[in-house]
């Protein structure tokens, strides 16, 4: 396996931000699946990443991430953990994955 570069991870966040900005204001569509996918994109950036995470955290549109993370309790918990600390996020993610 290869480790994603910081640039690729940054691009993932940009895409998640753009998807959220596009879908959040849409009316008349079922958004649950789309929101779960967008939340997953935000979270996968921080599963293993350690170096450069401060820059990655700055790139996250937290308002959009909050809006799309409301579909599952697990996503809400991981959102809150990531807001506090990427290390806490990784620890809780491991606990929830068992």
């Amino acid at each position: 396996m290869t480790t994603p570069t910081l640039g690729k991870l940054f691009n993932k966040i940009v895409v998640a931000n753009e998807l959220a900005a596009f879908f959040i204001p849409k009316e008349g569509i079922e958004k649950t699946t789309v929101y779960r996918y967008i939340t997953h994109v935000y979270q996968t950036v921080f599963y293993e990443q350690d170096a450069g995470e401060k820059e990655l955290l700055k790139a996250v549109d937290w308002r959009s991430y909050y809006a799309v993370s409301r579909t599952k309790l697990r996503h809400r918990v991981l959102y809150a953990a990531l807001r506090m600390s990427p290390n806490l996020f990784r620890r809780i993610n491991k606990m929830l994955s068992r």
Side-chain angles (χ1 to χ4, degrees):
M1 281 182 14
T2 61
T3 304
T5 64
L6 190 60
K8 286 182 182 179
L9 294 171
F10 182 81
N11 288 341
K12 277 184 150 185
I13 292 174
V14 169
V15 168
N17 289 340
E18 290 175 358
L19 286 171
F22 178 80
F23 281 104
I24 289 171
K26 292 290 180 203
E27 300 279 335
I29 62 169
E30 174 55 44
K31 299 178 186 179
T32 303
T33 303
V34 174
Y35 280 13
R36 286 181 181 171
Y37 174 76
I38 296 168
T39 300
H40 179 73
V41 174
Y42 278 122
Q43 292 175 352
T44 58
V45 170
F46 297 97
Y47 283 164
E48 301 293 331
Q49 184 63 22
D50 197 14
E53 63 190 15
K54 285 184 182 180
E55 292 81 18
L56 294 171
L57 288 168
K58 289 178 188 175
V60 173
D61 178 346
W62 291 102
R63 183 171 285 141
S64 294
Y65 179 17
Y66 176 81
V68 299
S69 69
R70 306 289 88 196
T71 60
K72 290 175 95 174
L73 176 59
R74 172 189 170 90
H75 291 165
R76 292 190 301 266
V77 168
L78 289 172
Y79 166 85
L82 187 58
R83 286 295 300 214
M84 289 183 243
S85 160
N87 287 328
L88 178 63
F89 166 82
R90 284 188 281 279
R91 287 184 187 140
I92 291 175
N93 185 51
K94 282 184 183 181
M95 289 182 352
L96 293 175
S97 297
R98 293 181 186 173

